[in-house]
Amino acid sequence: MIQKNDEFTLEITDLGTNGEGIGKIEDSGVKAPAAGSSNGKIKAAHGSGKIGAPAARGDSKIEARVAHGGYTVFVKDALIGDKVRIKIIKAKKNYGYGRLMEIITPSPYRVKPPCPVARACGGCQIMHLDYKEQLRFKENKVHNLLERVGGLKDFQMLPILGMKEPYYYRNKAQFPVGKNKDGRIVMGFYAGRTHSIVDTRHCYIQHPLNEKLTQIIKDWMEKYSIQPYEENTGKGLVRHVLTRIGSTTGQVMVCLVINGNRLPQADALISQLTKVEGMTSICININRENTNVILGDQVRTLWGQPYITDYIGNIAYQISPLSFYQVNPGQTRVLYEKALEFADLKPGEVVWDLYCGIGTISLFLAQTASKVYGVEIVPQAIDDARNNARLNHMDNVEFFVGKAEEVLPREYEKNGIYADVIVVDPPRKGCDPSLLECMVKMAPKRIVYVSCDPATLARDLKYLSGNGYKVEKVQCVDMFGHSVHVETVALLTRKAQ
C-alpha cells in the first residue's frame, strides 16, 4: 500500500486542469524493497523497465504494493515529459499527491521562469511551461471537457488566440500585506492554496509601475509604524493594496484596503504617491470584517477622482475600486470582438447581456444592436454601467439590478421583452438552472456564452444542446498567460423546429 512519505521515480504523461503533472506508478504485482539497489534506483519487477517503481534514497526503507492498473499521482510543478523523483504527501486509495523533489530528466517543453519566486507564488502555475505549449494545454483542456462533460462532438474548435507578449499584461493588482518571520513588512502574492505571502518586488505579469507604488507604501508604513493586518488576531490596519493602471490612458489608481475607518499619516502618503506620473485616484476601502473577502463595500477618495478611465477599442469606461473590469485590456478587446462576431447582429435585433458587470460587453454590442438589456446583481456595477453608457453617448442600452435568473424571467414573462440574441458571461459557478430554462423558453436565434470556467461551460452547454440548441463553434482566448485559466467563447444556434 502506498503511504505518505514514500518516494518514487515517475514519468509525467499528462497535465491536470490545474496544471499539475500526472503520472502513474505502474502495477508490479509484488512488494519492492527500496534499499540496496545501485545508484539509489529500483527497476520495475519482471524486467518491465517502466518508470514508476519505488525509488530508494539513503537508508530509507520503502515498501509498496502498487494498485492494479497503476496508481495515479498528481505532482505540482511537473510537466509532460519530465522524469522526476517525488515524495508522496497525501495518499488516497487509487490516487495520491506528490511533492517534486528532483527533476531527473526535464521535459522538452520545460523553460526557466524569469521570475525567481514563480514556484513558490500561487499566481503563475505554469510559467515553467513554454508559452506555445501553455496555449496547447488550455485549448486541449477546454476541448476535452466539452467532449467528456458536455457530451459534445459535432462542433468547430477554433485555434486558441494567444498573446503577442505574455508578460506585464495585467492592469490590476491586489497585494496582500503582512510581516515575515523577522517582523519586516512584506507585500506580494499568496503561495498556492495558502495565505502565506511571497514577498514580490517585481512581478512579471503585472504592470512594472507596481514595483514603485508598493515600495512607496512599504516605506511609508515603516516610517510611520503603520501595521499590517493580522488574520489570526484581527489586529493591524493595512490589509491589501489594490492598484489599477489604464492601458491606454496611463491613469493610475491606488486603493488601500484597511481594517479601520481612517488612514493615519495619509497626507504623507499622498505627497509621495502624487509624484508618480499618471496618478489619478487615491482611495481607501474599509473592510473590518473577519473574512477572506478582499474588498469591503465602502470606498472613500483621499485624493483625485474616485475612478480612472480606460478604453477598450473606441469605448471608454470609468473604473472604480469595486468595478469588475477584465485585467488584460489587449486580450479583452480580442475576447469582446469575438463575442460580437459570434453574435452576428442584424439591424433591428435585440440583445440581452446577462452578468453584464459595468457594461463592458453591453456597450460593445450596443455599437451594432438596436437595443441591449444588461443585468447585474451588484448595484455599484450597474451605476457604473449606466454612467459608462452616458459617457459614450449610447441611449440604446438599459440596465437592471438583480439576479439574472430572476430579472430575465420577470421581464420576459410579465413585460414581454424578448431577445434575438442572448450573451451570457457568468462567474465560475456558471448559470443558474432556472436561467438556462428561461433562455430556452425565450428561444433566441443565437446564444453567445462567454466563460471563465471550462467545466461549468461544458455542463451548461450540455443542457442547452439537449434543449433545442446546437453548439456551432468554440474559441479560446488566453487572457492569463502563465496561469491555468482561460476564457472561452461559444456560439449556439437554435435548431430548426
Side-chain angles (χ1 to χ4, degrees):
M1 180 178 179
I2 292 176
Q3 297 178 344
K4 184 178 179 180
N5 294 325
D6 287 354
E7 293 189 13
F8 299 89
T9 56
L10 200 64
E11 183 173 347
I12 304 300
T13 57
D14 203 356
L15 285 181
T17 56
N18 293 317
E20 68 277 33
I22 302 175
K24 281 188 179 289
I25 301 170
E26 300 298 342
D27 184 6
S28 65
V30 297
K31 283 188 176 182
S37 67
S38 61
N39 299 321
K41 298 179 182 178
I42 292 179
K43 294 182 179 179
H46 310 304
S48 68
K50 291 183 179 179
I51 299 168
R57 287 293 169 216
D59 295 329
S60 64
K61 293 183 178 180
I62 303 171
E63 292 191 345
R65 181 175 296 279
V66 183
H68 180 70
Y71 184 88
T72 301
V73 183
F74 299 88
V75 185
K76 181 181 177 293
D77 301 316
L79 298 176
I80 293 176
D82 277 343
K83 180 180 177 181
V84 297
R85 178 171 64 90
I86 62 105
K87 176 184 284 188
I88 300 294
I89 56 175
K90 184 184 291 187
K92 301 287 188 178
K93 182 178 179 181
N94 297 316
Y95 67 94
Y97 297 91
R99 177 178 290 117
L100 179 62
M101 306 298 289
E102 177 187 0
I103 300 171
I104 299 168
T105 305
S107 165
Y109 310 123
R110 180 175 286 278
V111 296
K112 183 178 180 180
C115 178
V117 296
R119 185 174 176 184
C121 177
C124 293
Q125 304 97 331
I126 53 174
M127 187 177 266
H128 54 297
L129 180 61
D130 176 78
Y131 184 63
K132 288 183 179 179
E133 292 301 319
Q134 292 183 28
L135 298 179
R136 191 195 309 272
F137 159 70
K138 294 179 183 186
E139 185 178 302
N140 287 341
K141 176 170 73 169
V142 173
H143 189 270
N144 291 340
L145 282 167
L146 292 179
E147 286 193 338
R148 180 167 51 83
V149 177
L152 305 176
K153 299 294 183 185
D154 184 23
F155 65 94
Q156 183 182 9
M157 189 79 187
L158 300 172
I160 187 170
L161 300 174
M163 299 182 223
K164 294 179 181 177
E165 177 54 64
Y167 294 99
Y168 306 115
Y169 58 82
R170 290 184 62 99
N171 65 358
K172 175 188 174 184
Q174 294 175 151
F175 298 95
V177 186
K179 287 185 178 181
N180 62 15
K181 295 178 181 178
D182 300 325
R184 301 283 294 180
I185 292 172
V186 293
M187 296 182 192
F189 302 100
Y190 291 127
R193 300 183 180 182
T194 75
H195 270 210
S196 175
I197 299 173
V198 178
D199 198 24
T200 309
R201 286 191 54 79
H202 183 90
C203 178
Y204 284 80
I205 63 171
Q206 301 286 352
H207 194 289
L209 186 59
N210 282 319
E211 186 172 353
K212 183 175 184 179
L213 297 174
T214 54
Q215 190 61 54
I216 288 173
I217 296 168
K218 188 181 294 186
D219 290 345
W220 165 79
M221 290 181 68
E222 290 175 345
K223 181 176 181 179
Y224 294 101
S225 299
I226 308 295
Q227 297 302 306
Y229 178 72
E230 298 176 359
E231 287 186 347
N232 57 338
T233 65
K235 297 179 179 179
L237 183 66
V238 181
R239 301 173 69 127
H240 281 77
V241 174
L242 180 149
T243 67
R244 291 184 183 271
I245 301 169
S247 63
T248 58
T249 63
Q251 293 184 4
V252 179
M253 169 184 288
V254 172
C255 180
L256 275 66
V257 184
I258 62 172
N259 177 42
N261 291 315
R262 57 180 292 273
L263 193 69
Q265 302 295 333
D267 289 344
L269 178 61
I270 291 168
S271 70
Q272 294 302 309
L273 288 175
T274 51
K275 295 177 183 178
V276 176
E277 184 177 357
M279 187 59 62
T280 304
S281 175
I282 304 174
C283 311
I284 56 171
N285 174 269
I286 297 171
N287 182 1
R288 305 196 69 176
E289 301 297 322
N290 183 14
T291 174
N292 290 333
V293 176
I294 293 175
L295 294 171
D297 295 330
Q298 187 178 358
V299 177
R300 295 180 188 167
T301 303
L302 300 181
W303 180 89
Q305 302 173 168
Y307 59 83
I308 63 170
T309 303
D310 204 11
Y311 286 81
I312 300 176
N314 296 320
I315 308 297
Y317 300 94
Q318 289 183 352
I319 310 157
S320 70
L322 298 177
S323 297
F324 173 78
Y325 187 74
Q326 291 281 8
V327 300
N328 186 334
Q331 289 296 91
T332 297
R333 180 172 182 174
V334 172
L335 179 72
Y336 290 176
E337 287 179 345
K338 184 57 63 174
L340 186 59
E341 175 191 324
F342 281 10
D344 190 24
L345 296 173
K346 310 295 193 299
E349 288 192 323
V350 175
V351 184
W352 275 89
D353 177 20
L354 309 179
Y355 307 96
C356 69
I358 66 170
T360 45
I361 294 181
S362 303
L363 300 188
F364 247 66
L365 296 166
Q367 296 175 99
T368 307
S370 173
K371 181 77 174 185
V372 177
Y373 297 98
V375 183
E376 173 58 52
I377 193 172
V378 181
Q380 298 96 324
I382 288 297
D383 290 342
D384 287 343
R386 290 169 177 158
N387 188 56
N388 287 328
R390 288 191 293 269
L391 183 65
N392 291 279
H393 309 291
M394 292 181 172
D395 56 8
N396 60 334
V397 189
E398 185 176 347
F399 293 103
F400 298 87
V401 176
K403 294 180 179 179
E405 60 268 25
E406 295 175 358
V407 173
L408 190 66
R410 181 192 72 211
E411 295 301 319
Y412 171 61
E413 294 169 6
K414 293 185 177 181
N415 299 323
I417 299 178
Y418 69 99
D420 296 293
V421 178
I422 291 179
V423 177
V424 56
D425 185 8
R428 294 195 181 280
K429 68 179 182 179
C431 294
D432 187 271
S434 61
L435 176 63
L436 294 174
E437 291 174 11
C438 183
M439 289 165 61
V440 169
K441 286 181 184 177
M442 291 179 73
K445 302 168 191 173
R446 296 174 297 284
I447 296 174
V448 179
Y449 196 127
V450 181
S451 170
C452 60
D453 188 289
T456 54
L457 170 67
R459 180 201 67 199
D460 291 350
L461 293 190
K462 181 177 182 179
Y463 176 87
L464 293 169
S465 64
N467 287 275
Y469 284 86
K470 181 183 186 303
V471 179
E472 298 283 356
K473 47 190 174 181
V474 176
Q475 175 81 73
C476 296
V477 179
D478 185 30
M479 305 276 286
F480 314 104
H482 310 298
S483 84
V484 297
H485 304 298
V486 61
E487 293 277 332
T488 307
V489 190
L491 169 65
L492 299 91
T493 57
R494 192 180 176 203
K495 297 175 184 175
Q497 302 298 308

